[in-house]
Amino acid sequence: MNGVLAIIRKELSHYFFAPMAYIVMGSFLLMNGFVFYVILAAVSRAGSAGASPMAIMFGGTFFFWLITIIMIPVITMKLGAEERKQGTIETLLTAPLSDLEIVLGKFSAAFVFYFLCWLLTFVYVLVLRAYGEIDWGPVFSGYLGTLLLGMFFISIGMFTTMISKNQIVAAIFALAILTMLMGSTLFTFIMSGTGREIFAYADLLGVMENFARGVIDTRNLVYLLSGTCLFVALSVKALEAKRWQ
């Protein structure tokens, strides 16, 4: 456990002592602030017939997915590829740490950064609360879904950076995988029978729609958590392979 915490502190210091972290966080807040303003204006025009602004915010717009699938590769691409480029991966592998501790430490640091970005958006909820009542259930389930989705995507970014020697290649590879996952939604419309049921289970838009409505489906939890565990395990195996190179 101490080893994991040491890796987390190391990676977080790399994040926050570099301008890139503040650029990513600032861009994230700026774009989400603009999207929230547009959603709020649209809902205000729709009146009582409009949906909850936060329900739309959590996966209900193209911008949510665009921001997420670009942000995740950016915050994960340095975690492994940069270590290999600078030659520090050998030092890390000779430290008294298991491969699992190294991967979990790096994964956790990226998730903490992601969590902090979304935590700052809670001000949107406070703005809505100042002007009326809020159904807190969908708000908290929406944030839960967003964080679980982030864990899943970060684990994919971890895997791609662990198998790459270049940050840009790692980011592009992660972006490609995330885009293909998003593309599973299309198959729910063009397939039928068992195939359609399988792709419907993996439909991330449907998963986030459930969370945004306040529905916490165990199937969605299993999907996101098992996907996270799978790619974390693959990242550990990728790191183990480096010991034999």
Side-chain angles (χ1 to χ4, degrees), residues 188-208:
T188 62
F189 295 102
I190 63 178
M191 297 191 70
S192 60
T194 304
R196 181 173 183 176
E197 292 179 5
I198 293 173
F199 281 104
Y201 178 78
D203 179 13
L204 290 173
L205 272 70
V207 169
M208 283 306 301

Side-chain angles (χ1 to χ4, degrees), residues 16 21-22 24-29 32 71 75 110-122 124 143 147:
F16 290 102
Y22 299 98
V24 171
M25 186 175 287
S27 300
F28 172 83
L29 294 174
N32 267 313
M71 175 188 180
I75 65 177
F111 178 73
V112 168
F113 183 82
Y114 176 83
F115 173 81
L116 289 176
C117 288
W118 274 102
L119 180 63
L120 294 174
T121 67
F122 195 74
Y124 306 154
Y143 272 108
L147 295 179

Side-chain angles (χ1 to χ4, degrees), residues 21-96:
Y22 299 98
I23 293 172
V24 171
M25 186 175 287
S27 300
F28 172 83
L29 294 174
L30 182 63
M31 288 185 287
N32 267 313
F34 174 74
V35 172
F36 179 72
Y37 171 79
V38 172
I39 292 173
L40 200 58
V43 170
S44 297
R45 286 195 297 270
S48 59
S52 165
M54 295 308 296
I56 301 174
M57 190 78 181
F58 295 123
T61 69
F62 167 77
F63 295 101
F64 171 89
W65 298 102
L66 179 64
I67 292 169
T68 303
I69 66 174
I70 291 176
M71 175 188 180
I72 296 299
V74 171
I75 65 177
T76 59
M77 64 182 186
K78 296 180 63 174
L79 294 177
E82 182 71 5
E83 296 269 13
R84 297 186 69 179
K85 179 181 177 182
Q86 295 182 349
T88 55
I89 188 68
E90 287 78 10
T91 303
L92 188 62
L93 292 176
T94 56

